[in-house]
Amino acid sequence: MDLGSILTLLFLALFIVPVLTRQILDMRRARALSALQRKRGTRVIAMVHRQETVGILGVPFYRFIDIEDSEAVLRAIRLTDDQTPIDLLLHTPGGLVLASEQIAFALHRHPAKVTVLVPHYAMSGGTLLALAADEILMDPDAVLGPVDPQLGDMPAASLVRVVEKKPIERLDDRTLILADVAEKAVRHMKQVVRDLVSERMGSKKADSLAEELAGGHYTHDDPITVDEARKLGLPVETGLPVETYELMELFPQAGRRRPSVQYVPLPPPPNQAPSRPSRPR
């Protein structure tokens, strides 16, 4: 094989193959999304944030709820008929308050039923979106999370408590300014939670939920299980369609440094179709 042939093969491997692979994956995702849409009879919007390998050199990047997401979701909601229910498939660690809040209120205003599907986790801003739904459909092992605002890497509620507990003469100007901003952020987030749930829960329970989720009583990554979410008064049900999991399989995690998990799926028992994929044991 001459040098020219080798260079041609390298060109195909580095540039053409990744593009074709991505196009095929996008087509498979579109088919899986359509299958879930037909099964549910709804407009399905998927917001799946993972570390994906993209680009010609396979560079991984991290995703979270951002302004581009809010623009895309708001556009999808606007293009959905008022009589058509919306399913929002969520898999996200959270993201920007502005973007999450825009999506949440757009979902809240949609006249038809809104359901949030959570196959694994919807933390922080993802939980805020779930609060806007009429129903939260979760895997039995999926989790939500607190919505307390963060200032950089510091919880806003903790900054407020520092000022309350420490003599003011021992605090520098920067800490005082941060605490002032933090107090505004916490107050705003509590009001957002109240606005999203008060119509459904009533003002008293809405105030309690806002304090619980936005008041900084837990670490920001503390998981809220299905049972805990129900105790908080959230409209949580379990039993996701199998098409949800099939769609999620098309968003693989590209964690190169993490050990892989492999298993051989077992066939369903005779004359019995599984309602959801069986867990590997």
Side-chain angles (χ1 to χ4, degrees):
M1 184 178 292
D2 58 22
L3 181 60
S5 299
I6 294 175
L7 292 176
T8 301
L9 290 175
L10 287 176
F11 174 82
L12 290 174
L14 289 174
F15 295 92
I16 305 300
V17 173
V19 173
L20 291 177
T21 301
R22 183 69 187 190
Q23 290 179 346
I24 293 172
L25 180 59
D26 288 342
M27 291 173 59
R28 294 180 63 194
R29 288 176 178 175
R31 286 198 296 267
L33 196 65
S34 296
L36 179 58
Q37 215 163 239
R38 288 193 299 270
K39 175 69 173 291
R40 296 276 298 167
T42 63
R43 161 64 70 91
V44 178
I45 305 169
M47 185 185 295
V48 179
H49 293 143
R50 292 190 191 251
Q51 175 187 328
E52 290 191 340
T53 301
V54 297
I56 60 176
L57 299 179
V59 179
F61 74 107
Y62 294 92
R63 289 298 311 274
F64 54 87
I65 301 174
D66 58 19
I67 295 300
E68 290 184 2
D69 289 326
S70 65
E71 289 179 353
V73 175
L74 293 180
R75 187 181 307 116
I77 295 173
R78 283 196 299 270
L79 294 174
T80 302
D81 186 85
D82 287 349
Q83 306 306 314
T84 301
I86 289 178
D87 284 349
L88 178 62
L89 173 62
L90 276 180
H91 179 87
T92 179
L96 298 179
V97 172
L98 172 60
S100 301
E101 192 174 324
Q102 285 182 301
I103 297 171
F105 281 112
L107 292 171
H108 183 66
R109 286 191 297 270
H110 186 66
K113 182 180 180 180
V114 174
T115 303
V116 164
L117 311 179
V118 186
H120 187 59
Y121 79 147
M123 307 295 285
S124 188
T127 299
L128 192 67
L129 304 188
L131 295 179
D134 300 296
E135 181 182 42
I136 307 171
L137 196 57
M138 298 174 64
D139 181 272
D141 300 308
V143 296
L144 304 175
V147 297
D148 56 309
Q150 310 290 295
L151 295 185
D153 59 349
M154 293 181 289
S158 297
L159 285 167
V160 174
R161 293 189 181 104
V162 165
V163 175
E164 293 174 348
K165 295 180 179 180
K166 197 171 183 179
I168 192 169
E169 61 271 10
R170 296 179 57 185
L171 298 171
D172 58 27
D173 291 344
R174 186 176 187 280
T175 301
L176 292 173
I177 293 172
L178 285 175
D180 180 66
V181 175
E183 189 275 331
K184 296 172 183 174
V186 171
R187 184 174 69 246
H188 174 76
M189 186 53 62
K190 288 181 180 179
Q191 186 59 51
V192 170
V193 173
R194 283 192 290 264
D195 291 343
L196 291 174
V197 304
S198 59
E199 183 177 344
R200 181 177 67 248
M201 300 179 64
S203 58
K204 186 175 181 180
K205 290 184 178 179
D207 289 343
S208 177
L209 181 65
E211 177 61 34
E212 191 76 8
L213 294 181
H217 301 288
Y218 313 94
T219 60
H220 194 58
D221 60 351
D222 189 71
I224 298 175
T225 64
V226 168
D227 288 340
E228 291 171 336
R230 286 171 172 164
K231 290 178 182 178
L232 290 172
L234 299 182
V236 172
E237 297 293 338
T238 56
L240 291 170
V242 67
E243 289 84 359
T244 304
Y245 301 97
E246 292 172 350
L247 178 59
M248 287 298 300
E249 289 178 0
L250 299 177
F251 292 88
Q253 183 77 23
R256 298 177 179 175
R257 299 182 181 179
R258 298 171 51 193
S260 62
V261 176
Q262 296 180 342
Y263 63 96
V264 178
L266 298 177
N271 303 321
Q272 181 179 347
S275 59
R276 54 182 295 269
S278 300
R279 301 182 197 171
R281 300 185 183 277

